[in-house]
Amino acid sequence: MWETLQSKARAVKARRMIDLFDDRRAQEFSINAENLLFDYSKTNIDTETRRDLIALAQEAGWAQKRDAMFAGEAINITERRAVLHTALRRASGPLVVDGQDVMEGVLATRHAMLRFAEKVRTGMFQGQGGKITDVVNIGIGGSDLGPVMAVQALHPYADGPNTHFVSNVDGAHVHDVLSGLNPETTLVVVASKTFTTIETMTNAQTAYDWMAQAVPNPADQFAALSSAEEKTSAFGIAPERVFGFEDWVGGRYSMWGPIGFSIAISIGSFNFRAFLNGAEAMDNHFTTAPDLENLPLMLALIGIWHAQCCGFETRAVLPYEQRLLRLPAYLQQLEMESNGKSVQMNGEPVDVGSGPIVWGEPGTNGQHAFYQLIHQGTRVIPCEFMVAKEGHEPHLAHQHQLLQANCLAQSEALMLGRDFETAKHIAQAKGFEGDELDRQAKHRVFAGNRPSTTLIYPQLTPYVLGQIIALYEHRVFVEGVILGINSFDQWGVELGKELATALGPILSGQIDPSDKDGSTQQLVAHLKS
Ligand code: F6P
């Protein structure tokens, strides 16, 4: 099927997408799932291609593998684990895995975590200087990106203490965050599944020292979101403020459970549950919708078509929603840590290319930065637009309309482009003539025929955010299945960690760098000079 699809991609390369449109295309190449409209008609996918793409997914056994994931089978084969982040957002049980109802633990931990969040929010849990005014989440990767993104996205619902995030081992990060806070009314939350991540543990120690200068019992103003109980208690954090999760939750899939504590602090448990409900609704859609109407499946197939069949190496995620500023960064980890791999489950190489490079920025800001390249650069970059029907600022509805107009204009411009004749008229109107007219016109030509999809959601509520994130999680899963990749390990981050550990003593002068390559030796020498 790969060959069929790749030769189809070559065959339709010059076909104008606009010529595919008849009365029905927009509707037939869209999915209405619950409250979401996903329009993929502005792609070069026709009925036959779509059928072949679905066949490709079926050949890969996507539905069986999906069911295996939801049932708690150990599909993460390199770490010999189940993949059950979907359990973290279920409203109720049972979910029996290996003879045990895993929902009992999930629901008990959720209850305890949300209870503690409410105690902090209401002032029932106090700092040594009174009511907690600020919560600092110290974590990195999956223990940071999701909560940062969601807290920002759901700002209109924020009515709890201020939340802050420290991730980078660069001392500037922890310094800048803590220097604006009062330790007596700050709760520090160390978010680390393993409780060994060097960045997080270094920042946690710095925060502890900062706290110790101001309060008699610094550990009393610490909580932990971690599975490593022995390590959290060695750090001095009382067990009632430690919220753990099972090893079947991967870091980048973990914000639905205890790692979402800072989200719950910010928006409260009612809204946090709505966030989970939205994700669970997407899970239900993913597990029950027929292939043609299955949103995560189709989003994945469009991704496969563009990256593996057409050879477009990157994709841009362009939310027309300022509060989704950190969505692209979040999706970078979700997609690239999951599918940025060159070995298949069976040990064979991934011969059609790994998952694509994901990047983006909210519109309209991106329009004034990199859209030039999207429209007129030599590479085709499939764009994924998203926009809300309604904003949260009814008094600024005219601005929201302008935002929507810009979003729709971009996908239209990408598809239609502007031909030489039209460009010539424009240049003529500016007063150019003769050779200069042609030259000027060439700069104003847009090749067009560039694919994009548009997702319209009602409003960026906690429920809708849950839906969108679960949609992308499942898209990554299906793409991984089709590529034969294990989307749930991350061996690619290990080597750099090991070498950084070895370079520490070299930089501090304890060890001689002579066994390092010439470039590394030179860089070390320069840093130490
Ligand atoms: O970067 C690798 C990684 O393992 C991510 O997958 C994970 O989200 C992050 O580090 C943080 O891990 P932990 O929560 O154990 O500190």
Side-chain angles (χ1 to χ4, degrees):
M1 196 49 79
W2 280 118
E3 272 171 28
T4 311
L5 280 159
Q6 282 164 343
S7 69
K8 183 83 198 272
R10 281 190 296 274
V12 301
K13 200 172 169 201
R15 179 175 69 182
R16 304 292 295 176
M17 283 161 10
I18 187 67
D19 296 336
L20 294 172
F21 277 82
D22 56 18
D23 297 353
R24 301 189 317 272
R25 178 168 173 89
Q27 218 184 340
E28 283 182 2
F29 287 77
S30 290
I31 296 176
N32 275 287
E34 218 179 318
N35 49 356
L36 306 174
L37 170 68
F38 175 65
D39 180 335
Y40 61 100
S41 61
K42 291 192 188 95
T43 62
N44 215 332
I45 295 174
D46 55 27
T47 314
E48 192 186 294
T49 309
R50 184 170 62 185
R51 194 195 53 216
D52 290 347
L53 285 166
I54 291 175
L56 180 75
Q58 286 169 346
E59 270 175 23
W62 83 273
Q64 294 85 332
K65 290 187 174 139
R66 171 202 62 194
D67 294 344
M69 174 173 74
F70 276 85
E73 284 179 34
I75 62 165
N76 175 356
I77 54 154
T78 57
E79 295 179 315
R80 299 192 176 149
R81 289 174 187 164
V83 174
L84 265 180
H85 51 278
T86 50
L88 293 183
R89 51 218 192 198
R90 278 182 62 152
S92 58
L95 175 61
V96 179
V97 177
D98 293 335
Q100 263 216 312
D101 179 13
V102 298
M103 287 308 297
E104 278 177 20
V106 168
L107 295 174
T109 306
R110 186 187 303 158
H111 180 74
M113 183 274 263
L114 291 179
R115 228 168 82 101
F116 180 57
E118 287 307 329
K119 279 187 176 175
V120 174
R121 282 165 55 84
T122 55
M124 269 173 74
F125 173 87
Q126 299 239 326
Q128 286 150 78
K131 192 171 183 219
I132 295 292
T133 54
D134 296 87
V135 174
V136 180
N137 183 89
I138 297 182
I140 196 164
S143 300
D144 168 74
L145 288 162
V148 172
M149 178 275 297
V151 164
Q152 195 166 15
L154 301 175
H155 181 73
Y157 302 85
D159 59 1
N162 300 314
T163 44
H164 311 264
F165 296 89
V166 174
S167 53
N168 202 321
V169 78
D170 181 350
H173 201 179
V174 66
H175 171 82
D176 289 356
V177 169
L178 296 185
S179 60
L181 304 179
N182 174 5
E184 294 181 347
T185 56
T186 296
L187 173 71
V188 176
V189 181
V190 186
S192 176
K193 180 177 165 181
T194 53
F195 227 69
T196 56
T197 304
I198 188 78
E199 291 93 331
T200 301
M201 298 323 298
T202 307
N203 281 324
Q205 191 57 52
T206 302
Y208 188 92
D209 296 344
W210 168 79
M211 187 79 82
Q213 285 173 10
V215 300
N217 302 310
D220 289 355
Q221 276 174 236
F222 270 71
L225 317 172
S226 179
S227 317
E229 269 170 43
E230 274 175 28
K231 295 194 175 81
T232 56
S233 70
F235 194 91
I237 305 176
E240 67 268 20
R241 291 192 308 281
V242 176
F243 306 97
F245 45 102
E246 303 291 330
D247 67 358
W248 36 252
V249 180
R252 54 194 173 274
Y253 297 88
S254 62
M255 77 168 138
W256 314 104
I259 292 293
F261 179 72
S262 50
I263 310 172
I265 281 285
S266 177
I267 65 175
S269 47
F270 176 81
N271 284 318
F272 186 78
R273 285 182 196 278
F275 174 59
L276 302 188
N277 292 343
E280 192 181 12
M282 184 53 69
D283 295 341
N284 293 337
H285 167 84
F286 181 50
T287 49
T288 58
D291 290 2
L292 254 188
E293 290 157 38
N294 199 303
L295 199 43
L297 172 66
M298 290 314 298
L299 188 59
L301 292 177
I302 292 159
I304 292 284
W305 167 252
H306 287 146
Q308 279 74 25
C309 304
C310 300
F312 306 147
E313 294 219 309
T314 82
R315 65 173 162 241
V317 183
L318 306 166
Y320 276 66
E321 175 90 50
Q322 181 58 25
R323 294 189 179 110
L324 287 178
L325 180 65
R326 295 296 285 164
L327 180 70
Y330 168 79
L331 290 179
Q332 281 176 335
Q333 189 200 19
L334 180 64
E335 303 213 14
M336 299 205 277
E337 196 165 87
S338 297
N339 288 341
K341 293 160 193 170
S342 32
V343 178
Q344 294 186 56
M345 293 268 213
N346 58 11
E348 295 296 316
V350 175
D351 44 16
V352 288
S354 61
I357 299 156
V358 179
W359 58 287
E361 178 79 12
T364 60
N365 288 6
Q367 289 177 205
H368 298 273
F370 53 79
Y371 277 40
Q372 164 64 43
L373 180 140
I374 291 185
H375 285 287
Q376 287 190 313
T378 50
R379 298 172 191 86
V380 174
I381 297 159
C383 294
E384 299 183 358
F385 295 103
M386 49 182 90
V387 69
K389 277 175 88 167
E390 246 188 284
H392 283 88
E393 294 71 32
H395 62 296
L396 297 175
H398 63 290
Q399 291 201 212
H400 193 73
Q401 229 164 56
L402 205 53
L403 182 76
Q404 291 173 332
N406 272 276
C407 178
L408 302 193
Q410 293 304 324
S411 66
E412 193 184 356
L414 283 169
M415 177 167 75
L416 299 182
R418 183 195 282 151
D419 63 17
F420 182 65
E421 281 313 306
T422 316
K424 222 164 148 177
H425 285 303
I426 292 168
Q428 223 160 15
K430 298 238 179 251
F432 293 110
E433 48 192 33
D435 285 355
E436 183 62 3
L437 172 63
D438 276 19
R439 208 174 13 252
Q440 289 287 343
K442 281 180 193 162
H443 291 273
R444 290 164 172 78
V445 168
F446 289 65
N449 217 30
R450 299 191 166 195
S452 69
T453 60
T454 303
L455 178 74
I456 300 185
Y457 49 90
Q459 193 181 36
L460 194 59
T461 60
Y463 182 91
V464 166
L465 184 69
Q467 286 179 294
I468 294 175
I469 301 305
L471 164 64
Y472 271 87
E473 282 181 353
H474 294 321
R475 178 261 194 107
V476 169
F477 169 77
V478 177
E479 287 195 13
V481 166
I482 294 173
L483 298 175
I485 283 173
N486 175 11
S487 303
F488 300 102
D489 59 14
Q490 54 283 321
W491 301 108
V493 296
E494 295 302 322
L495 181 58
K497 282 188 198 170
E498 282 163 29
L499 294 180
T501 308
L503 274 161
I506 291 179
L507 280 167
S508 64
Q510 290 159 273
I511 295 180
D512 188 79
S514 53
D515 67 332
K516 292 283 167 191
D517 63 84
S519 165
T520 306
Q521 283 191 41
Q522 172 180 255
L523 297 171
V524 167
H526 192 77
L527 284 172
K528 287 167 63 69
S529 68

